Amino acid sequence: MKNMKPMKSLIALSVLTAMVAAPVAAADTSPSNQELYQMILELKNQQSALQKQAQMAKAEAAKAERELAMTKQKLELAMALDESGEVANSSIKVKQHETGSYTEVGVLIKRPENDRLTYAQTTNQSNGLQSKGVDVETEYKPGIRIGVGHFYENGVEGYAQYTHLSSSASDSIQDPGGSLELNPKLVPEEELNFDQDEEIDAAKASYDLGYDVIDAGFAQHLAIGDQLSIRLGGGLRYASLDDQLKAFYDNGSEYIQVKQRNDFEGIGPRATIDATWQKPNSNLSVTGMLGTSLLYGRNEFSYFAKDDDDDVVSFDNTERHIYSVSEAKLGVNYNGIKNDIRYDLGLAYEFEIWNDALSTLSYVDDTTDQLFTREDTDLIMHGVALTAKMNW
Protein backbone atom coordinates (compact mmCIF):
# COMPACT_ATOMS: atom_id res chain seq x y z
CA MET A 1 0.00 0.00 0.00
CA LYS A 2 2.93 2.27 0.67
CA ASN A 3 4.08 1.87 -2.95
CA MET A 4 0.73 3.12 -4.26
CA LYS A 5 1.16 6.71 -2.97
CA PRO A 6 4.19 7.55 -5.13
CA MET A 7 2.38 6.02 -8.12
CA LYS A 8 -0.71 8.20 -7.54
CA SER A 9 1.46 11.26 -7.20
CA LEU A 10 3.21 10.47 -10.50
CA ILE A 11 -0.15 10.09 -12.33
CA ALA A 12 -1.49 13.36 -10.93
CA LEU A 13 1.68 15.17 -11.98
CA SER A 14 1.38 13.80 -15.54
CA VAL A 15 -2.26 14.92 -15.86
CA LEU A 16 -1.41 18.41 -14.61
CA THR A 17 1.47 18.66 -17.07
CA ALA A 18 -0.79 17.68 -20.00
CA MET A 19 -3.43 20.23 -19.02
CA VAL A 20 -0.84 22.99 -18.99
CA ALA A 21 0.81 21.94 -22.27
CA ALA A 22 -2.47 21.67 -24.29
CA PRO A 23 -3.21 25.44 -24.61
CA VAL A 24 0.44 26.04 -25.45
CA ALA A 25 0.27 23.51 -28.30
CA ALA A 26 -3.04 24.98 -29.52
CA ALA A 27 -1.49 28.43 -29.52
CA ASP A 28 1.43 27.13 -31.54
CA THR A 29 -0.89 25.63 -34.29
CA SER A 30 -3.34 28.62 -34.72
CA PRO A 31 -3.07 30.43 -38.18
CA SER A 32 -1.16 33.67 -38.47
CA ASN A 33 -2.61 36.99 -39.80
CA GLN A 34 -0.89 36.43 -43.20
CA GLU A 35 -2.49 33.00 -43.45
CA LEU A 36 -5.91 34.40 -42.55
CA TYR A 37 -5.56 37.13 -45.29
CA GLN A 38 -4.60 34.49 -47.85
CA MET A 39 -7.65 32.43 -46.90
CA ILE A 40 -9.92 35.48 -47.39
CA LEU A 41 -8.45 36.12 -50.86
CA GLU A 42 -9.04 32.52 -51.85
CA LEU A 43 -12.65 32.74 -50.66
CA LYS A 44 -13.20 35.93 -52.74
CA ASN A 45 -11.73 34.28 -55.84
CA GLN A 46 -13.98 31.29 -55.34
CA GLN A 47 -16.98 33.63 -54.98
CA SER A 48 -16.09 35.51 -58.21
CA ALA A 49 -15.70 32.23 -60.09
CA LEU A 50 -19.11 31.08 -58.83
CA GLN A 51 -20.69 34.38 -60.01
CA LYS A 52 -19.18 33.96 -63.52
CA GLN A 53 -20.45 30.40 -63.67
CA ALA A 54 -23.91 31.64 -62.69
CA GLN A 55 -23.88 34.30 -65.45
CA MET A 56 -22.78 31.72 -68.03
CA ALA A 57 -25.53 29.40 -66.88
CA LYS A 58 -28.07 32.24 -67.25
CA ALA A 59 -26.89 32.99 -70.81
CA GLU A 60 -27.06 29.30 -71.73
CA ALA A 61 -30.60 29.14 -70.32
CA ALA A 62 -31.67 32.13 -72.44
CA LYS A 63 -30.14 30.56 -75.56
CA ALA A 64 -31.86 27.28 -74.82
CA GLU A 65 -35.17 29.11 -74.40
CA ARG A 66 -34.79 30.74 -77.85
CA GLU A 67 -33.87 27.43 -79.44
CA LEU A 68 -36.87 25.84 -77.77
CA ALA A 69 -39.14 28.53 -79.23
CA MET A 70 -37.70 27.96 -82.73
CA THR A 71 -38.10 24.19 -82.33
CA LYS A 72 -41.70 24.71 -81.26
CA GLN A 73 -42.35 26.78 -84.37
CA LYS A 74 -40.86 24.09 -86.61
CA LEU A 75 -42.97 21.44 -84.90
CA GLU A 76 -46.11 23.50 -85.47
CA LEU A 77 -45.24 23.78 -89.17
CA ALA A 78 -44.52 20.07 -89.36
CA MET A 79 -47.95 19.29 -87.85
CA ALA A 80 -49.50 21.08 -90.83
CA LEU A 81 -48.39 18.22 -93.09
CA ASP A 82 -51.00 15.59 -93.81
CA GLU A 83 -50.26 11.87 -93.96
CA SER A 84 -49.39 11.99 -97.67
CA GLY A 85 -46.72 14.64 -97.06
CA GLU A 86 -48.62 17.48 -98.75
CA VAL A 87 -49.03 20.81 -97.05
CA ALA A 88 -52.52 21.31 -95.70
CA ASN A 89 -54.61 24.42 -96.32
CA SER A 90 -53.41 25.90 -93.03
CA SER A 91 -49.72 25.97 -94.15
CA ILE A 92 -49.76 29.77 -94.33
CA LYS A 93 -49.37 30.75 -90.71
CA VAL A 94 -48.41 33.69 -88.59
CA LYS A 95 -44.65 33.77 -88.26
CA GLN A 96 -43.82 34.04 -84.60
CA HIS A 97 -40.94 36.38 -83.87
CA GLU A 98 -39.16 36.99 -80.60
CA THR A 99 -40.79 40.11 -79.14
CA GLY A 100 -38.59 43.14 -78.61
CA SER A 101 -37.28 46.30 -80.23
CA TYR A 102 -34.71 46.81 -82.97
CA THR A 103 -32.55 49.51 -84.52
CA GLU A 104 -31.59 49.69 -88.19
CA VAL A 105 -28.76 51.69 -89.77
CA GLY A 106 -28.05 51.75 -93.50
CA VAL A 107 -25.65 53.30 -95.99
CA LEU A 108 -27.01 54.05 -99.46
CA ILE A 109 -25.14 54.69 -102.69
CA LYS A 110 -27.69 55.91 -105.22
CA ARG A 111 -27.92 57.86 -108.43
CA PRO A 112 -30.80 60.16 -109.51
CA GLU A 113 -31.78 60.35 -113.17
CA ASN A 114 -34.38 62.37 -115.08
CA ASP A 115 -35.06 63.89 -118.49
CA ARG A 116 -34.50 67.54 -117.57
CA LEU A 117 -30.70 67.60 -117.36
CA THR A 118 -30.01 68.84 -120.92
CA TYR A 119 -28.58 72.35 -120.63
CA ALA A 120 -26.98 72.90 -124.09
CA GLN A 121 -26.83 71.39 -127.56
CA THR A 122 -24.35 71.09 -130.40
CA THR A 123 -25.58 71.64 -133.95
CA ASN A 124 -23.92 70.36 -137.11
CA GLN A 125 -24.42 73.10 -139.71
CA SER A 126 -23.18 70.94 -142.60
CA ASN A 127 -25.34 67.89 -141.86
CA GLY A 128 -28.94 68.99 -141.99
CA LEU A 129 -28.77 70.98 -138.77
CA GLN A 130 -28.73 67.82 -136.65
CA SER A 131 -28.47 68.64 -132.96
CA LYS A 132 -27.23 66.66 -130.00
CA GLY A 133 -28.04 67.45 -126.39
CA VAL A 134 -25.40 68.14 -123.75
CA ASP A 135 -26.45 66.78 -120.34
CA VAL A 136 -25.27 66.97 -116.76
CA GLU A 137 -24.15 63.43 -115.91
CA THR A 138 -25.32 62.51 -112.42
CA GLU A 139 -23.19 60.33 -110.15
CA TYR A 140 -23.70 57.77 -107.39
CA LYS A 141 -23.71 59.56 -104.04
CA PRO A 142 -23.85 58.24 -100.45
CA GLY A 143 -26.90 58.61 -98.23
CA ILE A 144 -28.15 57.30 -94.89
CA ARG A 145 -31.12 55.34 -93.58
CA ILE A 146 -32.08 55.11 -89.90
CA GLY A 147 -34.93 53.02 -88.56
CA VAL A 148 -36.47 51.78 -85.32
CA GLY A 149 -39.18 49.23 -84.67
CA HIS A 150 -40.74 46.74 -82.32
CA PHE A 151 -41.91 43.15 -82.74
CA TYR A 152 -45.18 42.34 -80.98
CA GLU A 153 -46.90 39.02 -80.48
CA ASN A 154 -48.65 37.24 -83.37
CA GLY A 155 -46.01 38.37 -85.88
CA VAL A 156 -46.91 42.08 -85.86
CA GLU A 157 -44.17 44.67 -86.36
CA GLY A 158 -44.32 48.44 -85.88
CA TYR A 159 -41.67 50.50 -87.66
CA ALA A 160 -40.45 54.01 -88.52
CA GLN A 161 -37.69 54.84 -90.99
CA TYR A 162 -35.92 57.97 -92.25
CA THR A 163 -33.94 58.13 -95.52
CA HIS A 164 -31.78 61.04 -96.66
CA LEU A 165 -29.76 61.52 -99.83
CA SER A 166 -27.99 64.63 -101.13
CA SER A 167 -26.70 64.45 -104.69
CA SER A 168 -24.83 66.97 -106.84
CA ALA A 169 -23.11 66.99 -110.25
CA SER A 170 -21.71 69.52 -112.72
CA ASP A 171 -20.67 69.74 -116.36
CA SER A 172 -19.16 72.25 -118.79
CA ILE A 173 -18.46 72.51 -122.51
CA GLN A 174 -16.58 74.85 -124.86
CA ASP A 175 -17.52 75.73 -128.43
CA PRO A 176 -16.26 72.68 -130.42
CA GLY A 177 -15.56 74.80 -133.53
CA GLY A 178 -15.51 73.68 -137.15
CA SER A 179 -18.92 72.76 -138.52
CA LEU A 180 -20.27 72.29 -135.00
CA GLU A 181 -21.69 75.18 -133.04
CA LEU A 182 -22.72 75.36 -129.40
CA ASN A 183 -26.21 76.65 -128.53
CA PRO A 184 -27.88 77.35 -125.18
CA LYS A 185 -30.84 75.17 -124.28
CA LEU A 186 -32.51 76.79 -121.29
CA VAL A 187 -32.75 80.46 -122.37
CA PRO A 188 -36.03 81.99 -123.61
CA GLU A 189 -36.63 82.94 -127.23
CA GLU A 190 -36.51 86.71 -126.77
CA GLU A 191 -36.03 89.62 -124.34
CA LEU A 192 -32.56 88.62 -123.12
CA ASN A 193 -29.19 89.27 -124.79
CA PHE A 194 -29.38 86.12 -126.93
CA ASP A 195 -31.75 83.21 -127.52
CA GLN A 196 -31.57 79.45 -128.12
CA ASP A 197 -30.36 79.83 -131.73
CA GLU A 198 -27.35 81.94 -130.74
CA GLU A 199 -23.89 80.42 -131.10
CA ILE A 200 -22.03 80.76 -127.80
CA ASP A 201 -18.45 80.24 -126.66
CA ALA A 202 -19.05 78.21 -123.49
CA ALA A 203 -21.70 76.76 -121.23
CA LYS A 204 -21.68 75.13 -117.81
CA ALA A 205 -24.31 73.71 -115.47
CA SER A 206 -24.76 72.21 -112.01
CA TYR A 207 -27.43 69.92 -110.61
CA ASP A 208 -28.46 69.37 -106.96
CA LEU A 209 -31.04 67.09 -105.39
CA GLY A 210 -32.15 66.89 -101.77
CA TYR A 211 -34.14 63.73 -100.97
CA ASP A 212 -35.84 63.19 -97.58
CA VAL A 213 -38.38 60.42 -96.90
CA ILE A 214 -40.05 59.21 -93.68
CA ASP A 215 -41.93 55.88 -93.66
CA ALA A 216 -43.94 54.63 -90.69
CA GLY A 217 -46.52 51.90 -90.18
CA PHE A 218 -47.16 48.28 -89.24
CA ALA A 219 -46.38 44.94 -90.88
CA GLN A 220 -47.66 41.37 -90.53
CA HIS A 221 -45.20 38.47 -90.82
CA LEU A 222 -46.40 35.18 -92.31
CA ALA A 223 -44.64 31.84 -92.85
CA ILE A 224 -45.19 29.58 -95.85
CA GLY A 225 -43.56 26.25 -95.18
CA ASP A 226 -40.17 26.03 -93.55
CA GLN A 227 -38.15 28.42 -95.70
CA LEU A 228 -40.39 31.11 -97.22
CA SER A 229 -41.74 34.05 -95.23
CA ILE A 230 -43.86 37.04 -96.25
CA ARG A 231 -44.04 40.53 -94.74
CA LEU A 232 -47.12 42.61 -95.54
CA GLY A 233 -46.59 46.28 -94.66
CA GLY A 234 -48.87 49.30 -94.66
CA GLY A 235 -48.52 52.84 -93.38
CA LEU A 236 -47.76 56.42 -94.34
CA ARG A 237 -44.97 58.10 -96.28
CA TYR A 238 -43.86 61.72 -96.07
CA ALA A 239 -41.55 62.90 -98.85
CA SER A 240 -39.66 66.08 -99.67
CA LEU A 241 -37.67 66.67 -102.87
CA ASP A 242 -35.59 69.76 -103.62
CA ASP A 243 -34.37 69.57 -107.22
CA GLN A 244 -32.36 72.38 -108.83
CA LEU A 245 -30.62 72.86 -112.19
CA LYS A 246 -28.43 75.93 -112.83
CA ALA A 247 -26.79 76.95 -116.12
CA PHE A 248 -24.46 79.72 -117.27
CA TYR A 249 -23.97 80.75 -120.94
CA ASP A 250 -21.21 82.98 -122.32
CA ASN A 251 -20.88 84.26 -125.89
CA GLY A 252 -17.77 86.33 -125.31
CA SER A 253 -19.27 89.73 -124.65
CA GLU A 254 -22.56 88.81 -122.97
CA TYR A 255 -23.82 86.12 -120.62
CA ILE A 256 -27.06 84.67 -119.27
CA GLN A 257 -27.60 82.71 -116.06
CA VAL A 258 -30.59 80.38 -115.63
CA LYS A 259 -32.08 78.48 -112.68
CA GLN A 260 -34.83 75.83 -112.74
CA ARG A 261 -36.14 74.47 -109.46
CA ASN A 262 -38.65 71.85 -108.31
CA ASP A 263 -39.87 71.88 -104.71
CA PHE A 264 -42.00 68.82 -103.96
CA GLU A 265 -43.66 67.91 -100.65
CA GLY A 266 -46.34 65.29 -100.09
CA ILE A 267 -47.80 62.65 -97.79
CA GLY A 268 -49.94 59.58 -98.36
CA PRO A 269 -50.45 55.83 -97.90
CA ARG A 270 -47.75 53.27 -98.66
CA ALA A 271 -48.04 49.49 -99.08
CA THR A 272 -45.22 46.93 -99.38
CA ILE A 273 -44.79 43.18 -99.69
CA ASP A 274 -41.46 41.54 -98.76
CA ALA A 275 -40.52 37.93 -99.44
CA THR A 276 -37.61 36.09 -97.80
CA TRP A 277 -36.32 32.65 -98.75
CA GLN A 278 -34.11 31.11 -96.06
CA LYS A 279 -31.40 28.77 -97.33
CA PRO A 280 -31.72 25.43 -95.47
CA ASN A 281 -29.20 24.86 -92.67
CA SER A 282 -27.69 28.30 -93.25
CA ASN A 283 -27.79 31.88 -91.97
CA LEU A 284 -28.11 33.20 -95.53
CA SER A 285 -31.37 34.27 -97.16
CA VAL A 286 -32.57 35.94 -100.37
CA THR A 287 -34.97 38.87 -100.05
CA GLY A 288 -37.17 40.88 -102.40
CA MET A 289 -39.62 43.74 -102.02
CA LEU A 290 -42.30 45.52 -104.07
CA GLY A 291 -43.96 48.71 -102.88
CA THR A 292 -46.10 51.62 -103.95
CA SER A 293 -47.11 54.99 -102.52
CA LEU A 294 -49.76 57.55 -103.40
CA LEU A 295 -48.65 60.98 -102.23
CA TYR A 296 -50.88 64.01 -102.21
CA GLY A 297 -48.96 67.23 -102.08
CA ARG A 298 -47.60 70.42 -103.56
CA ASN A 299 -45.22 70.53 -106.50
CA GLU A 300 -43.85 74.01 -107.13
CA PHE A 301 -41.85 74.67 -110.27
CA SER A 302 -39.97 77.93 -110.86
CA TYR A 303 -37.77 79.31 -113.63
CA PHE A 304 -35.50 82.34 -113.53
CA ALA A 305 -33.21 83.75 -116.26
CA LYS A 306 -31.11 86.92 -116.09
CA ASP A 307 -28.54 88.51 -118.43
CA ASP A 308 -25.68 90.92 -117.76
CA ASP A 309 -27.99 93.89 -118.52
CA ASP A 310 -30.20 92.81 -115.58
CA ASP A 311 -33.06 91.83 -117.87
CA VAL A 312 -35.10 89.07 -116.21
CA VAL A 313 -37.51 86.39 -117.42
CA SER A 314 -39.26 84.31 -114.74
CA PHE A 315 -41.98 81.70 -114.44
CA ASP A 316 -43.60 80.19 -111.34
CA ASN A 317 -46.29 77.52 -111.18
CA THR A 318 -47.59 75.33 -108.35
CA GLU A 319 -49.62 72.16 -108.79
CA ARG A 320 -51.43 70.05 -106.21
CA HIS A 321 -52.51 66.52 -107.01
CA ILE A 322 -51.69 62.86 -106.33
CA TYR A 323 -48.27 61.48 -107.29
CA SER A 324 -47.41 57.80 -107.38
CA VAL A 325 -44.12 56.18 -106.38
CA SER A 326 -43.12 52.61 -107.30
CA GLU A 327 -40.35 50.69 -105.49
CA ALA A 328 -38.50 47.40 -105.88
CA LYS A 329 -35.62 45.70 -104.06
CA LEU A 330 -33.60 42.49 -104.42
CA GLY A 331 -30.80 41.39 -102.11
CA VAL A 332 -29.21 38.90 -99.71
CA ASN A 333 -29.19 38.78 -95.90
CA TYR A 334 -27.05 37.17 -93.22
CA ASN A 335 -28.49 36.74 -89.71
CA GLY A 336 -27.13 35.43 -86.44
CA ILE A 337 -26.87 35.88 -82.66
CA LYS A 338 -23.92 37.41 -80.81
CA ASN A 339 -23.86 38.07 -77.04
CA ASP A 340 -27.64 37.54 -76.83
CA ILE A 341 -28.23 40.19 -79.56
CA ARG A 342 -29.85 39.07 -82.79
CA TYR A 343 -28.38 40.84 -85.83
CA ASP A 344 -29.18 40.98 -89.52
CA LEU A 345 -26.84 42.23 -92.29
CA GLY A 346 -28.27 42.98 -95.73
CA LEU A 347 -27.01 44.04 -99.15
CA ALA A 348 -29.62 44.95 -101.78
CA TYR A 349 -30.15 46.75 -105.07
CA GLU A 350 -33.00 49.29 -104.86
CA PHE A 351 -34.97 50.95 -107.66
CA GLU A 352 -37.76 53.55 -107.45
CA ILE A 353 -39.71 55.74 -109.88
CA TRP A 354 -41.34 59.02 -108.86
CA ASN A 355 -43.94 59.60 -111.56
CA ASP A 356 -44.21 63.24 -112.80
CA ALA A 357 -42.37 64.48 -109.69
CA LEU A 358 -40.15 66.90 -111.66
CA SER A 359 -40.81 69.47 -114.38
CA THR A 360 -39.07 71.34 -117.15
CA LEU A 361 -39.96 74.37 -119.24
CA SER A 362 -40.92 74.41 -122.90
CA TYR A 363 -41.12 77.61 -124.91
CA VAL A 364 -43.89 78.41 -127.37
CA ASP A 365 -42.40 79.51 -130.71
CA ASP A 366 -43.70 82.15 -133.15
CA THR A 367 -45.18 84.40 -130.48
CA THR A 368 -44.39 87.95 -129.51
CA ASP A 369 -44.88 87.22 -125.82
CA GLN A 370 -42.86 84.89 -123.63
CA LEU A 371 -45.18 81.89 -123.40
CA PHE A 372 -44.16 78.79 -121.46
CA THR A 373 -45.62 75.36 -120.89
CA ARG A 374 -44.72 73.11 -117.98
CA GLU A 375 -43.77 69.55 -118.89
CA ASP A 376 -43.62 66.93 -116.14
CA THR A 377 -41.05 64.15 -116.07
CA ASP A 378 -40.17 61.18 -113.85
CA LEU A 379 -37.44 61.00 -111.22
CA ILE A 380 -35.61 57.66 -111.10
CA MET A 381 -33.49 56.67 -108.09
CA HIS A 382 -31.42 53.49 -108.08
CA GLY A 383 -28.40 52.02 -106.32
CA VAL A 384 -27.29 49.70 -103.52
CA ALA A 385 -28.05 49.74 -99.81
CA LEU A 386 -26.02 48.10 -97.03
CA THR A 387 -28.03 47.77 -93.80
CA ALA A 388 -27.42 46.41 -90.31
CA LYS A 389 -30.28 45.58 -87.93
CA MET A 390 -29.92 44.67 -84.25
CA ASN A 391 -32.71 43.16 -82.12
CA TRP A 392 -32.63 43.17 -78.35
Side-chain angles (χ1 to χ4, degrees):
M1 296 294 295
K2 292 181 180 181
N3 293 332
M4 294 294 296
K5 289 183 178 181
M7 182 63 69
K8 291 180 178 180
S9 299
L10 181 59
I11 293 173
L13 180 61
S14 299
V15 171
L16 181 62
T17 302
M19 292 177 61
V20 174
V24 175
D28 291 341
T29 60
S30 62
S32 64
N33 291 337
Q34 181 66 27
E35 292 174 336
L36 288 173
Y37 179 72
Q38 188 64 31
M39 293 171 63
I40 293 172
L41 289 180
E42 291 178 356
L43 289 174
K44 287 185 176 180
N45 291 336
Q46 293 176 0
Q47 184 180 11
S48 177
L50 290 174
Q51 289 177 347
K52 290 182 179 179
Q53 293 177 1
Q55 292 175 354
M56 292 176 62
K58 184 178 180 181
E60 290 293 333
K63 182 178 179 180
E65 184 178 354
R66 287 193 299 270
E67 292 177 350
L68 180 61
M70 294 176 64
T71 303
K72 181 180 178 182
Q73 181 181 354
K74 292 181 179 179
L75 288 174
E76 291 177 350
L77 292 174
M79 292 176 63
L81 297 175
D82 59 16
E83 294 180 355
S84 63
E86 296 178 352
V87 179
N89 294 331
S90 60
S91 61
I92 300 178
K93 292 187 175 182
V94 171
K95 183 178 181 181
Q96 298 293 342
H97 196 287
E98 184 179 354
T99 60
S101 301
Y102 69 83
T103 301
E104 182 180 15
V105 179
V107 177
L108 315 176
I109 302 178
K110 288 191 173 185
R111 176 185 180 184
E113 296 182 9
N114 61 73
D115 294 332
R116 53 165 281 177
L117 298 178
T118 302
Y119 69 96
Q121 61 185 20
T122 57
T123 304
N124 192 335
Q125 297 293 336
S126 63
N127 190 18
L129 298 179
Q130 293 184 358
S131 298
K132 181 180 179 181
V134 181
D135 301 337
V136 177
E137 294 292 336
T138 57
E139 300 175 353
Y140 289 95
K141 296 291 184 179
I144 60 171
R145 177 176 292 154
I146 301 173
V148 294
H150 186 84
F151 286 102
Y152 301 92
E153 295 180 353
N154 299 324
V156 177
E157 172 194 355
Y159 64 90
Q161 190 177 79
Y162 168 67
T163 304
H164 170 77
L165 180 70
S166 181
S167 180
S168 62
S170 62
D171 191 74
S172 63
I173 185 173
Q174 300 290 327
D175 184 7
S179 61
L180 295 177
E181 67 176 35
L182 180 65
N183 307 117
K185 175 66 175 175
L186 302 179
V187 299
E189 294 293 337
E190 298 178 359
E191 296 190 13
L192 299 183
N193 286 340
F194 49 87
D195 57 27
Q196 293 187 28
D197 298 327
E198 180 79 13
E199 182 177 3
I200 59 176
D201 296 332
K204 60 181 180 180
S206 63
Y207 174 72
D208 296 281
L209 173 67
Y211 172 102
D212 294 278
V213 172
I214 298 176
D215 295 314
F218 292 90
Q220 176 66 63
H221 292 259
L222 302 174
I224 304 177
D226 293 335
Q227 292 148 348
L228 183 62
S229 60
I230 301 294
R231 177 181 181 270
L232 302 176
L236 290 176
R237 163 170 284 193
Y238 165 81
S240 174
L241 300 176
D242 188 358
D243 178 275
Q244 187 170 261
L245 176 64
K246 295 180 180 179
F248 183 87
Y249 305 103
D250 183 8
N251 72 347
S253 59
E254 298 171 320
Y255 68 85
I256 296 176
Q257 52 186 342
V258 177
K259 179 172 70 173
Q260 283 190 169
R261 181 180 180 184
N262 261 110
D263 188 3
F264 173 84
E265 186 175 23
I267 189 172
R270 176 174 180 258
T272 60
I273 176 170
D274 296 71
T276 301
W277 179 79
Q278 186 74 39
K279 184 179 178 181
N281 303 318
S282 172
N283 292 335
L284 291 174
S285 60
V286 179
T287 63
M289 185 273 285
L290 294 175
T292 184
S293 305
L294 295 176
L295 306 178
Y296 175 78
R298 169 188 57 82
N299 193 343
E300 180 181 357
F301 174 70
S302 62
Y303 170 89
F304 179 85
K306 179 182 178 181
D307 60 21
D308 55 299
D309 295 327
D310 291 332
D311 296 323
V312 173
V313 174
S314 63
F315 172 83
D316 194 303
N317 178 248
T318 300
E319 295 181 351
R320 292 181 180 272
H321 56 79
I322 296 176
Y323 302 86
S324 63
V325 182
S326 301
E327 308 170 63
K329 180 175 70 173
L330 180 64
V332 293
N333 278 30
Y334 180 87
N335 58 79
I337 299 176
K338 183 71 173 180
N339 295 330
D340 294 333
I341 297 178
R342 185 182 298 275
Y343 64 89
D344 191 296
L345 303 177
L347 177 64
Y349 173 79
E350 299 181 352
F351 181 86
E352 54 187 302
I353 301 178
W354 295 67
N355 296 287
D356 295 337
L358 302 180
S359 299
T360 188
L361 203 63
S362 179
Y363 309 100
V364 179
D365 296 335
D366 302 327
T367 61
T368 56
D369 299 327
Q370 288 294 330
L371 297 180
F372 309 96
T373 59
R374 173 176 176 171
E375 297 180 353
D376 294 329
T377 186
D378 299 337
L379 170 65
I380 298 175
M381 300 280 292
H382 62 95
V384 297
L386 176 63
T387 59
K389 180 187 292 185
M390 293 179 292
N391 301 67
W392 67 86

